[in-house]
Amino acid sequence: MDPQIASQIDAINVTLNAGGMNTINIVLAFVMYGVALGIKPKIFADVFKKPKSVFVGMLCQLVLLPLFTFLLAWALGPAVSFSMAIGMILVASCPGGNISNFISSLSKANVELSVSLTAISTALAMFMTPFNFWFYGNLYIKVADISGLVGAVPNLHIPFWDVFKTIVILLGIPLTLGILTAHFFPKAAEKMKKPFQWFSIIFFLAMVVLSFVGNMEAFLKCVKYIFLIVFIHNLLALCIGYGNGSLFRVGDKDRRTLTIETGIQNSGLGLALMLGANQIFSNFMPQYPHGVPGGMLVITAWWGIWHIIAGLAVAGVFNFKDRKAARKLSA
């Protein structure tokens, strides 16, 4: 990529003191607790009644999306900076986003399957997010170093245990408490669910503002470039879901759900991890000792905005398809 564009992107930087990081960590814990209020143990039991679509969904989200994201970052070569590639891998390692349930409803997809996939991927995120980020992040570092793509940041290593411990603390504890609340106090959980969802949206928007305030000029200079990279990455995710739904011959409603679930990631979690626990990233990116590299930041933040737009567009396509089929039947 153009070195000037790369430097402008990486110049976008957010630095937080210990108090700021602790605040974001605490708020993230509350957000994940709110997510878990909608996760009932019954969801996991129901998987075994109709396991095919659930297993295909998990294959798409937990295995294929991180793998193909790594391959995409490698294929783009110098078109993406090192930190942008790592940001793409971080997003692909995150679980499904809650808004996918809403988009599935708009798309007349299988909402029950959507809720199950979001719940399971979120629960498994304690293990799969650190594993996928560690595995594919380090694999990209090695491949990029051999290909001469890494440039100024050779001999780096993503610390698995640091990432794992952080995610278990930030996700594992609040998720467990949320699931227990949903199980033992279902009425209270149902009442709290909606306020926590709004709180999550406000929290994500606040993080996006925090990411770009003071960096707006640098972001505007490279927004077209960031838009293109995120567009390609998100399109890949949507195609993985739809393609595998078709390959495994699941029903139309389930195929729609798989498309949406794979294309909508909890990038807010990735953004919160970067801002609230950025010592992880400064440990393996010593050139950014006081903050998060701009490439990771803008990819993750823009993903969170774009996948909502893309999700609504996909819902529109599915609804148009339904109207077209209905007109043919009535003709």
Side-chain angles (χ1 to χ4, degrees), residues 121-141:
S121 68
T122 301
L124 291 177
M126 287 185 285
F127 309 100
M128 295 308 296
T129 294
F131 174 78
N132 279 326
F133 181 59
W134 165 78
F135 181 79
Y136 288 108
N138 283 313
L139 188 60
Y140 178 80
I141 290 169

Side-chain angles (χ1 to χ4, degrees), residues 204-205 208-209 212 219 230 267 299-311:
F204 172 74
L205 292 174
V208 171
V209 171
F212 294 131
F219 174 70
V230 171
S267 53
I299 289 290
T300 310
W302 186 249
W303 236 97
I305 295 168
W306 173 252
H307 73 183
I308 298 171
I309 300 168

Side-chain angles (χ1 to χ4, degrees), residues 111-311:
V111 179
E112 188 178 284
L113 174 63
S114 176
V115 171
S116 297
L117 291 175
T118 302
I120 295 168
S121 68
T122 301
L124 291 177
M126 287 185 285
F127 309 100
M128 295 308 296
T129 294
F131 174 78
N132 279 326
F133 181 59
W134 165 78
F135 181 79
Y136 288 108
N138 283 313
L139 188 60
Y140 178 80
I141 290 169
K142 289 177 183 176
V143 169
D145 191 26
I146 292 169
S147 306
L149 300 176
V150 172
V153 284
N155 303 318
L156 300 179
H157 183 75
I158 297 174
F160 174 78
W161 286 111
D162 285 355
V163 179
F164 179 74
K165 283 185 290 186
T166 300
I167 289 178
V168 165
I169 292 169
L170 294 182
L171 267 69
I173 296 171
L175 280 174
T176 302
L177 291 174
I179 292 170
L180 289 173
T181 302
H183 180 66
F184 291 107
F185 307 100
K187 290 182 180 178
E190 198 61 36
K191 285 181 181 177
M192 290 191 289
K193 205 161 64 170
K194 189 153 276 187
F196 268 102
Q197 285 175 347
W198 280 107
F199 178 66
S200 302
I201 293 169
I202 293 167
F203 176 54
F204 172 74
L205 292 174
M207 285 192 299
V208 171
V209 171
L210 179 65
S211 302
F212 294 131
V213 68
N215 298 292
M216 191 54 69
E217 186 179 347
F219 174 70
L220 290 175
K221 286 180 181 176
C222 58
V223 65
K224 291 180 183 177
Y225 192 81
I226 297 298
F227 172 85
L228 180 61
I229 297 299
V230 171
F231 175 81
I232 293 170
H233 189 197
N234 183 244
L235 182 62
L236 171 69
L238 293 167
C239 289
I240 288 171
Y242 190 85
N244 280 279
S246 301
L247 180 66
F248 286 94
R249 298 182 180 179
V250 302
D252 183 58
K253 283 193 170 187
D254 286 9
R255 185 164 61 242
R256 293 182 184 198
T257 299
L258 294 176
T259 304
I260 293 160
E261 283 294 320
T262 313
I264 293 182
Q265 295 296 97
N266 191 348
S267 53
L269 170 62
L271 196 56
L273 287 171
M274 276 192 285
L275 296 179
N278 62 25
Q279 66 271 16
I280 291 173
F281 304 105
S282 61
N283 282 345
F284 80 91
M285 291 186 178
Q287 73 274 42
Y288 305 104
H290 304 297
V292 179
M296 289 184 72
L297 198 65
V298 294
I299 289 290
T300 310
W302 186 249
W303 236 97
I305 295 168
W306 173 252
H307 73 183
I308 298 171
I309 300 168

Side-chain angles (χ1 to χ4, degrees), residues 74-128:
W74 185 16
L76 288 171
V80 291
S81 69
F82 166 76
S83 64
M84 288 171 67
I86 295 297
M88 291 166 66
I89 292 169
L90 176 62
V91 168
S93 302
C94 288
N98 271 2
I99 195 172
S100 62
N101 306 154
F102 170 67
I103 300 294
S104 290
S105 176
L106 288 180
S107 303
K108 297 181 178 62
N110 187 337
V111 179
E112 188 178 284
L113 174 63
S114 176
V115 171
S116 297
L117 291 175
T118 302
I120 295 168
S121 68
T122 301
L124 291 177
M126 287 185 285
F127 309 100
M128 295 308 296

